[in-house]
Amino acid sequence: MIKKYQIRRSIMSKIIQLFISFFKIGLVSIGGGYVIIPMIEKEIIYKHNWIDSSTFANIVGIAAVTPGPISLNTATFVGNKMFGIFGGMVSTAGVVLPSFIITLFISGFYFKNSDQLIQKTIFYVLKPLIVGMIFIAALNLSVPAFIHLNKSVDYVSVILFIFSFLLLLKTKINPILIIFISASLSLLINSIIWLL
């Protein structure tokens, strides 16, 4: 009986910590989307060691092709990976609640004072910071995406990345179609390699 109580208490403690962690991430994440990925990575991999970097890269990949904001999807998938559907709901609530509360307060102030110099200066300063954080997220995700756990390079992923990047750069093809083409090619090539 005491052991069951201790297990329940331990699980509840981890669920509360999950909520607090994602609440903190939601509170300080300016720019959303890919900007939030390094924060989630630092919190769940390096601070709490809840999942490994390879699993995290897979979660971000799935979150990127799933409808909805990538930051929200990543939070949901991480929570789900840890504690099932309830964990997904807890982490989602944690990451969304700060934005919801802050938006309620700021929206009234912003529309009353939209021509103020301070507001324009803040947005001017934040733009390069957001670009920098997106760049860091891309660098952090590239290592587990291109290198296997045994430290060998995944040449299929590297080639498909270059192919997709060039398509985005040189053509006007919809990015969703490029994701679909790259995913299909990856499945086809890896199936052929696996069969050989």
Side-chain angles (χ1 to χ4, degrees), residues 21-37:
S21 294
F22 278 102
F23 188 88
K24 285 192 298 183
I25 290 165
L27 194 61
V28 297
S29 61
I30 297 166
Y34 287 96
V35 174
I36 203 172
I37 302 300

Side-chain angles (χ1 to χ4, degrees), residues 32-34 36-37 59-77 92 96 176 179:
Y34 287 96
I36 203 172
I37 302 300
I59 286 173
V60 172
I62 294 167
V65 297
T66 307
I70 189 168
S71 54
L72 182 64
N73 292 345
T74 302
T76 305
F77 284 130
T92 301
V96 168
I176 295 169
I179 290 169

Side-chain angles (χ1 to χ4, degrees), residues 95-170:
V95 83
V96 168
L97 197 58
S99 301
F100 178 74
I101 294 167
I102 291 168
T103 302
L104 283 177
F105 286 109
I106 290 179
S107 62
F109 173 78
Y110 179 78
F111 288 114
K112 286 178 185 175
N113 307 295
S114 59
D115 294 329
Q116 297 295 324
L117 180 64
I118 295 171
Q119 288 181 16
K120 291 178 181 177
T121 305
I122 289 170
F123 287 114
Y124 182 77
V125 170
L126 287 178
K127 285 178 185 177
L129 292 174
I130 291 167
V131 171
M133 293 184 77
I134 291 171
F135 181 71
I136 289 169
L139 284 179
N140 288 342
L141 291 172
S142 64
V143 174
F146 299 139
I147 299 173
H148 294 294
L149 293 174
N150 63 0
K151 307 294 182 194
S152 64
V153 177
D154 184 353
Y155 293 105
V156 173
S157 294
V158 173
I159 291 166
L160 286 174
F161 167 75
I162 294 168
F163 169 74
S164 301
F165 182 74
L166 290 174
L167 277 179
L168 278 170
L169 205 60
K170 300 289 183 185

Side-chain angles (χ1 to χ4, degrees), residues 166-193:
L166 290 174
L167 277 179
L168 278 170
L169 205 60
K170 300 289 183 185
T171 68
K172 293 183 179 180
I173 300 174
N174 190 318
I176 295 169
L177 186 59
I178 293 173
I179 290 169
F180 179 74
I181 292 167
S182 297
S184 300
L185 284 172
S186 178
L187 283 171
L188 180 66
I189 293 167
N190 284 305
S191 297
I192 292 167
I193 292 169

